[in-house]
């Protein structure tokens, strides 16, 4: 039994944020039925390159849509709305990641679906929300990083504003949507009444300002960028040079400074009044950077990691290849093969959540419409009626 067995979700989703959120649910065993408009070519993610397993089967798409089912359905067609409602009768939730003004136009809100299923939860992930002056605005991850202040915190001082190397706002908003959906389903199962649940890229990006946001709102402090990706207030907690590259060290508890000094053969640093406390070290950050660079450049990164292991919080700085091929990733079993029906497999990073006694599914993402007939039969449609819908272009 998988953790989310018995949870059924209709996903009107595309590209990244929404599919990433529902992939958490699918990886944990929920039945996620992806609804794709075949007239528009389905989820645009199927065509996002540059790497493909086959036509319409991009590696990008596989990343976000493994363990799901696919139904082709034109929700703009009146009969498509009838099919949606038939599918929704036995669903726990509907998840969409559409522009804020679109869910209502496509019949995806609680007000529009409660007549067929009073317990259904309608989770909406939009760029700027479904209300307010921007509800009809399109929006993407990098725009949120810019407006929510993230780019002002990323990169080296004096350099142009910089985005993260990954679409972090998309990924975190997808997770927020999945979390909100599950909270809604728990409430609906207890009360018998469903609801709309909303999150947006902008709201999550702003929420992620976290403690720098609190510092400004209460102390008026505007946090900026620090050299070498340093923590704004804790030292040492940044990048340092080694003989062959870089290492990131984080002495985010007082005890680690003394341990670091001892491992480096500099025990006197621990008691020097210029370095003995967080406050003193922050005042002397530049000196500490020079001292640590000089000490760490005597050995290669791998040697320091071996010496620090389990004593000082430290990590090597890897590229994507090095990260995925590390011995620790192999030990953890983080890379998983997701199987196609013909025996081929797509290698991807596995789910980050594990459960004792549960084996999580590992199915590759399906071709568009692979489960249309199966799902319509389960909703009570006859073979003749399914053929009629196909001829009419509804499916």
């Amino acid at each position: 039994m998988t953790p989310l067995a018995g949870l059924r979700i209709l996903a009107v989703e595309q590209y990244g944020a929404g599919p990433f959120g529902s992939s958490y649910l699918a990886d944990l065993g929920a039945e996620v039925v992806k609804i794709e408009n075949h007239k528009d070519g389905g989820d645009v993610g199927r065509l996002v390159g540059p790497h493909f397993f086959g036509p319409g089967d991009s590696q990008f798409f596989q990343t976000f849509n493994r363990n799901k089912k696919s139904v082709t359905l034109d929700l703009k067609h009146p009969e498509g709305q009838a099919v949606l409602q038939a599918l929704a009768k036995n669903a726990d939730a509907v998840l969409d990641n559409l522009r804020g003004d679109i869910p209502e136009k496509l019949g995806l809100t609680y007000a529009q679906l409660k007549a067929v299923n009073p317990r259904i939860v309608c989770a909406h992930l939009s760029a700027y929300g479904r209300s307010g002056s921007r509800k009809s605005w399109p929006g993407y991850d990098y725009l949120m990083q810019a407006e929510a202040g993230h780019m002002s915190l990323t990169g080296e001082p004096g350099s142009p504003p910089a985005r993260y190397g990954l679409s972090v706002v998309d990924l975190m908003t997808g997770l927020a949507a999945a979390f909100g959906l599950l909270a809604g389903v728990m409430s609906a199962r207890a009360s018998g009444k469903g609801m709309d649940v909303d999150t947006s890229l902008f709201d999550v990006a702003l929420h992620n300002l976290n403690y720098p946001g609190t510092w400004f709102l209460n102390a008026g402090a505007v946090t900026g960028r620090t050299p070498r990706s340093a923590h704004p207030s804790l030292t040492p907690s940044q990048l340092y040079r080694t003989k062959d590259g870089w290492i990131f060290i984080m002495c985010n508890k007082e005890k680690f400074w003394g341990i670091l000094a001892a491992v480096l053969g500099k025990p006197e640093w621990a008691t020097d009044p210029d370095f003995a406390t967080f406050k003193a070290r922050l005042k002397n950050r530049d000196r500490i950077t020079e001292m640590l660079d000089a000490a760490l450049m005597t050995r290669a990164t791998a040697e320091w990691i071996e010496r620090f292991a389990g004593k000082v919080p430290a990590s090597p700085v890897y590229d994507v290849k090095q990260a995925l091929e590390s011995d620790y990733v192999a030990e953890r079993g983080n890379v998983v093969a997701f199987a196609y029906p013909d025996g081929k497999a797509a290698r991807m990073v596995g789910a980050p959540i594990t459960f004792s006694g549960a084996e999580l599914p590992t199915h590759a993402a399906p071709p568009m419409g692979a489960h249309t007939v199966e799902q319509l039969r389960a909703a009570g449609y006859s073979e003749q009626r399914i053929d009629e819908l196909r001829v009419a272009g509804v499916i």
Side-chain angles (χ1 to χ4, degrees):
M1 181 69 73
T2 54
L4 293 182
L7 179 69
R8 185 165 184 269
I9 300 153
L10 307 180
V12 185
E13 58 181 20
Q14 57 185 333
Y15 206 65
F20 186 71
S22 62
S23 75
Y24 267 98
L25 307 175
D27 280 352
L28 301 188
E31 182 185 20
V32 177
V33 181
K34 187 177 181 73
I35 295 178
E36 303 186 68
N37 188 342
H38 51 295
K39 294 180 179 178
D40 294 337
D43 186 338
V44 66
R46 291 185 179 275
L47 304 178
V48 174
H51 306 290
F52 292 82
F53 291 111
D57 185 22
S58 77
Q59 294 187 18
F60 178 95
F61 179 81
Q62 280 292 334
T63 303
F64 293 97
N65 294 284
R66 65 214 193 183
N67 292 323
K68 299 180 185 178
K69 297 181 176 180
S70 173
V71 166
T72 53
L73 182 62
D74 181 4
L75 293 176
K76 298 176 182 177
H77 194 292
E79 292 194 60
Q81 282 293 307
V83 174
L84 170 67
Q85 296 197 6
L87 294 173
K89 285 181 181 179
N90 295 311
D92 292 285
V94 177
L95 171 66
D96 73 78
N97 71 312
L98 304 172
R99 204 177 66 200
D101 61 330
I102 299 297
E104 186 173 2
K105 295 177 181 179
L106 296 183
L108 299 173
T109 68
Y110 180 68
Q112 294 164 305
L113 293 174
K114 66 180 180 180
V116 297
N117 185 349
R119 294 160 55 103
I120 200 160
V121 173
C122 298
H124 312 283
L125 187 169
S126 59
Y128 296 100
R130 291 190 304 124
S131 61
S133 60
R134 297 190 187 181
K135 69 177 184 179
S136 63
W137 286 24
Y140 298 96
D141 182 304
Y142 301 169
L143 304 178
M144 309 307 160
Q145 292 187 40
E147 188 171 0
H150 295 201
M151 290 186 180
S152 74
L153 298 168
T154 307
E156 289 293 308
S159 64
R163 68 170 177 86
Y164 307 127
L166 299 170
S167 299
V168 173
V169 176
D170 274 349
L171 304 180
M172 293 198 70
T173 307
L175 181 56
F179 182 84
L181 183 151
L182 289 175
V185 169
M186 286 187 65
S187 175
R189 288 183 174 180
S191 68
K193 183 179 180 180
M195 67 197 73
D196 288 299
V197 177
D198 281 270
T199 191
S200 73
L201 298 177
F202 182 82
D203 289 346
V204 169
L206 199 68
H207 183 256
N208 284 349
L209 281 181
N210 201 264
Y211 58 88
T214 301
W215 289 347
F216 170 74
L217 292 172
N218 295 276
V222 179
T223 303
R225 289 179 284 182
T226 51
R228 298 197 186 178
S229 300
H231 190 282
S233 61
L234 302 179
T235 300
S237 187
Q238 65 180 62
L239 287 165
Y240 297 97
R241 293 186 180 276
T242 65
K243 187 176 182 178
D244 63 347
W246 297 91
I247 190 170
F248 209 113
I249 295 174
M250 297 188 73
C251 293
N252 285 24
K253 290 184 178 181
E254 286 285 16
K255 68 176 183 178
F256 291 128
W257 172 245
I259 297 171
L260 174 62
V263 175
L264 292 176
K266 304 288 186 179
E268 66 275 12
W269 289 357
T271 55
D272 188 318
D274 286 347
F275 314 127
T277 66
F278 277 133
K279 185 176 181 180
R281 290 194 297 277
L282 183 61
K283 183 179 179 180
N284 293 287
R285 188 202 298 268
D286 291 344
R287 285 177 60 194
I288 289 175
T289 298
E290 292 176 4
M291 291 161 48
L292 287 178
D293 275 355
L296 292 165
M297 287 176 68
T298 60
R299 298 179 185 276
T301 299
E303 294 179 73
W304 285 121
I305 294 299
E306 186 175 350
R307 285 171 174 256
F308 293 152
K311 302 173 185 176
V312 177
S315 287
V317 180
Y318 283 162
D319 62 20
V320 173
K321 178 180 187 296
Q322 292 170 318
L324 291 174
E325 292 183 348
S326 79
D327 292 341
Y328 188 63
V329 167
E331 175 192 326
R332 297 285 297 169
N334 293 123
V335 175
V336 177
F338 290 80
Y340 286 86
D342 63 2
K344 293 188 301 182
R347 296 177 72 234
M348 291 180 270
V349 179
I353 307 170
T354 59
F355 297 82
S356 61
E359 184 174 345
L360 301 183
T362 54
H363 307 298
M368 183 168 58
H371 302 90
T372 302
V373 173
E374 166 200 300
Q375 290 293 314
L376 265 63
R377 284 174 181 163
Y381 283 81
S382 67
E383 298 299 323
Q384 178 180 342
R385 184 62 182 137
I386 292 172
D387 288 340
E388 292 171 351
L389 291 172
R390 185 178 294 111
V391 171
V394 178
I395 61 174

